[in-house]
Amino acid sequence: MKRFLSLCLTFVLLQSAFSFVLLPLNLSAQQAAALAVSSDETITNNTIIEMTKSGVSESVIIEKIKTTKGSFDTTAASLQELKKSGVSDSVILAIVQKT
């Protein structure tokens, strides 16, 4: 829950503080928040599920997977859980390719 709230706060801060940067790049505040890279950030299966459920686009999630340190569980059971949680096949493939 703390991670979700942190993501929401990041989203709000980026939207208000950096909106002038987003217009020339054609990125929404949501996409910019998802792409914000923190050197100490590690994304997990739960991070991907939270981003999916909050409506972050597939392409943004895939880019986040590519550009952020990840600690993913790619066991068959975990991949099934991702699918049941609404994560797309393309995102699941990006997770598998990252590991």
Side-chain angles (χ1 to χ4, degrees):
M1 186 62 156
K2 285 184 180 180
R3 287 190 127 185
F4 178 73
L5 293 175
S6 175
L7 182 61
C8 290
L9 179 60
T10 301
F11 171 76
V12 170
L13 291 174
L14 283 173
Q15 184 178 16
S16 61
F18 298 107
S19 61
F20 65 92
V21 174
L22 301 177
L23 292 175
L25 297 175
N26 291 327
L27 292 177
S28 70
Q30 176 189 27
Q31 290 170 324
L35 289 174
V37 176
S38 171
S39 61
D40 62 337
E41 179 183 25
T42 301
I43 58 174
T44 64
N45 292 32
N46 287 334
T47 310
I48 301 303
I49 290 169
E50 289 171 3
M51 290 187 348
T52 299
K53 289 183 177 182
S54 68
V56 177
S57 73
E58 179 180 274
S59 60
V60 171
I61 294 172
I62 291 171
E63 191 62 29
K64 186 71 172 168
I65 291 166
K66 291 178 181 178
T67 60
T68 307
K69 185 170 73 172
S71 178
F72 298 110
D73 181 354
T74 57
T75 61
S78 293
L79 296 179
Q80 290 171 346
E81 183 62 32
L82 286 166
K83 189 65 179 174
K84 288 178 187 175
S85 298
V87 177
S88 73
D89 290 336
S90 297
V91 171
I92 293 171
L93 179 60
I95 290 169
V96 171
Q97 290 174 335
K98 175 87 175 197
T99 57

